[in-house]
């Protein structure tokens, strides 16, 4: 994969799972990468749902050419009728507000430079609606809508905005996921297995590269053949 000379990448959620694999993949292609995460282990400590913290990071880093926004939470794994409004809102604050705040902070610099790549993290849950994961599924459907809108808004600026929709991937996130939901996901996946973070990172690297040229506002499944339209 190739990237314009001097382009830097910001990877949120970069301390773990898909974000960490993506940071490693981009770095292997020679891209300078800054990782940001609430958890230790990233270059920058960041709560993606905190507007002041996102603005402070944008001021500190200046413009970046690539934003991979992988930070997210799975939220509660229970039927909708058993959810509290607080846990619903927490899931939306991290997954939806976070995506909005990161895109709002970093898209203008890309548009000014005339080149940029933004990758957001949706999920097959956004398209399918996992039972006992309504907050997660709805929040990821919001990420899809945001990505489609922003892709159109920036379509003539050189900034391409796309979402990835993985099925279940073997990462620490799924340590918190109800085993019944994971078993259902695996059963629905024609390849009969979970994805690996490195496989998702490979797709993300292409979405960040110069090789991507005619796609924006699109959602790319990485799902072992599981598809819901
Ligand atoms: N693993 C899967 O099965 C799967 C499937 C579809 C989509 N996704 C999405 O992919 C993305 C990455 O997931 P993953 O599997 O790598 O999970 P993960 O738990 O391994 O990594 C997520 C990272 O996000 C960070 N994070 C959480 N809340 C944050 C906050 N408020 N501010 C900053 N960082 C925060 C965590 O500390 C963690 O390091 C998520 O958006 C997730 O919803 C994952």
């Amino acid at each position: 994969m190739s990237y314009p000379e001097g382009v830097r990448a910001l990877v949120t959620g970069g301390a773990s799972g898909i974000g960490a694999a993506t940071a490693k993949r981009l770095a292997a292609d020679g891209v300078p990468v800054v990782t940001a995460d609430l958890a230790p282990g990233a270059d920058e400590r960041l709560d993606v749902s905190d507007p002041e913290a996102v603005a402070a990071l944008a001021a500190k880093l200046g413009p970046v050419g690539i934003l991979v926004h992988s930070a997210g939470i799975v939220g509660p794994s229970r039927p909708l009728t058993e959810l509290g409004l607080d846990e619903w809102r927490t899931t939306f604050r991290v997954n939806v507000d976070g995506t909005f705040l990161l895109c709002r902070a970093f898209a203008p610099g890309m548009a000014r430079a005339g080149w940029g790549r933004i990758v957001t993290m949706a999920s097959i849950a956004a398209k399918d609606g996992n039972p006992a994961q309504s907050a997660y599924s709805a929040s990821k459907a919001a990420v899809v809508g945001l990505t489609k809108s922003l892709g159109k808004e920036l379509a003539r600026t050189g900034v391409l905005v796309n979402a990835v929709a993985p099925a279940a991937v073997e990462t620490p996130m799924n340590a918190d996921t109800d085993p019944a939901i994971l078993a259902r996901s695996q059963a629905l996946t024609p390849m009969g297995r979970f994805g690996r973070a490195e496989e998702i990172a490979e797709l993300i690297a292409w979405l960040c590269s110069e090789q991507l040229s005619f796609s924006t506002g699109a959602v790319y499944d990485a799902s072992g053949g599981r598809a819901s339209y």
Side-chain angles (χ1 to χ4, degrees), residues 16-18 37-38 46-48 70 122 136 140 166 169 171 173-174:
S16 178
I18 296 167
D37 205 298
L38 193 56
L46 174 73
D47 179 351
V48 298
S70 189
Y136 183 71
K140 292 299 181 177
V169 181
T171 69
M173 171 173 276
N174 284 323

Side-chain angles (χ1 to χ4, degrees), residues 10 54 58 62-67 99-118 146 150-151 153-154 157-161:
L10 170 63
V54 173
V64 298
I66 294 170
L67 167 65
T99 306
F100 162 68
L101 291 171
L102 267 293
C103 290
R104 190 181 66 168
F106 288 95
M110 296 181 193
R112 276 194 300 276
W115 194 92
R117 299 287 183 266
I118 298 176
L146 181 158
L150 188 61
E153 289 174 20
L154 299 177
T157 65
V159 183
L160 306 181
V161 188

Side-chain angles (χ1 to χ4, degrees), residues 99-182:
T99 306
F100 162 68
L101 291 171
L102 267 293
C103 290
R104 190 181 66 168
F106 288 95
M110 296 181 193
R112 276 194 300 276
W115 194 92
R117 299 287 183 266
I118 298 176
V119 179
T120 61
M121 292 303 303
S123 168
I124 283 291
K127 296 178 168 185
D128 210 10
N130 287 351
Q133 276 192 339
S134 57
Y136 183 71
S137 302
S139 73
K140 292 299 181 177
V143 170
V144 169
L146 181 158
T147 305
K148 290 181 172 182
S149 291
L150 188 61
K152 291 183 181 73
E153 289 174 20
L154 299 177
R156 297 187 183 208
T157 65
V159 183
L160 306 181
V161 188
N162 293 288
V164 174
V169 181
E170 281 168 8
T171 69
M173 171 173 276
N174 284 323
D176 294 337
T177 305
D178 182 341
I181 293 176
L182 292 176

